[in-house]
Amino acid sequence: MTAYAIGDVKITDPAKFEKYRSQAPETIKKYGGRYIVRGGPIVHMEGDWNPSRLVVIEFDTMTQLKKWYHSKEYRGPKQLRHESSNTNVVFVEGI
């Protein structure tokens, strides 16, 4: 079943985050993932959730998504993301 990584990203260090943005896509591609949403305008419709920047990444399976997230290739970029943003991330299976 298809799986998605959904991130709500608030960038705190734009220069460092730019390094993350230049490194992460290749790791995602290596594990078969693809961006569905990568930033863009957000139109708030209901509720209290006001994300700064949304990212949605699709993988063929939850197993593949987790392999990417815990991979040695993503370790460095993930550290950059932690140092340059406040991020909430969830994984969800979908159709």
Side-chain angles (χ1 to χ4, degrees):
M1 180 177 288
T2 306
Y4 300 89
I6 302 171
D8 173 2
V9 182
K10 180 176 174 137
I11 298 169
T12 57
D13 183 337
K16 191 174 277 192
F17 193 81
E18 197 56 40
K19 291 178 186 177
Y20 168 78
R21 267 205 292 227
S22 71
Q23 295 176 18
E26 196 59 37
T27 68
I28 291 165
K29 184 178 178 183
K30 180 175 181 175
Y31 285 84
R34 70 182 184 101
Y35 285 100
I36 303 297
V37 175
R38 190 175 183 190
I42 296 172
V43 179
H44 183 260
M45 299 302 292
E46 293 184 31
D48 297 328
W49 185 32
N50 291 301
S52 299
R53 182 175 191 275
L54 281 177
V55 177
V56 180
I57 307 168
E58 178 183 69
F59 288 84
D60 288 340
T61 65
M62 183 65 75
T63 299
Q64 200 62 19
L65 190 165
K66 288 178 179 179
K67 282 182 184 178
W68 162 73
Y69 187 79
H70 296 294
S71 71
K72 66 180 180 179
E73 294 88 356
Y74 188 55
R75 189 174 301 134
K78 184 171 28 176
Q79 183 63 38
L80 284 170
R81 180 172 53 78
H82 289 162
E83 293 171 1
S84 64
S85 68
N86 296 320
T87 308
N88 292 300
V89 177
V90 296
F91 295 171
V92 62
E93 289 183 318
I95 52 173

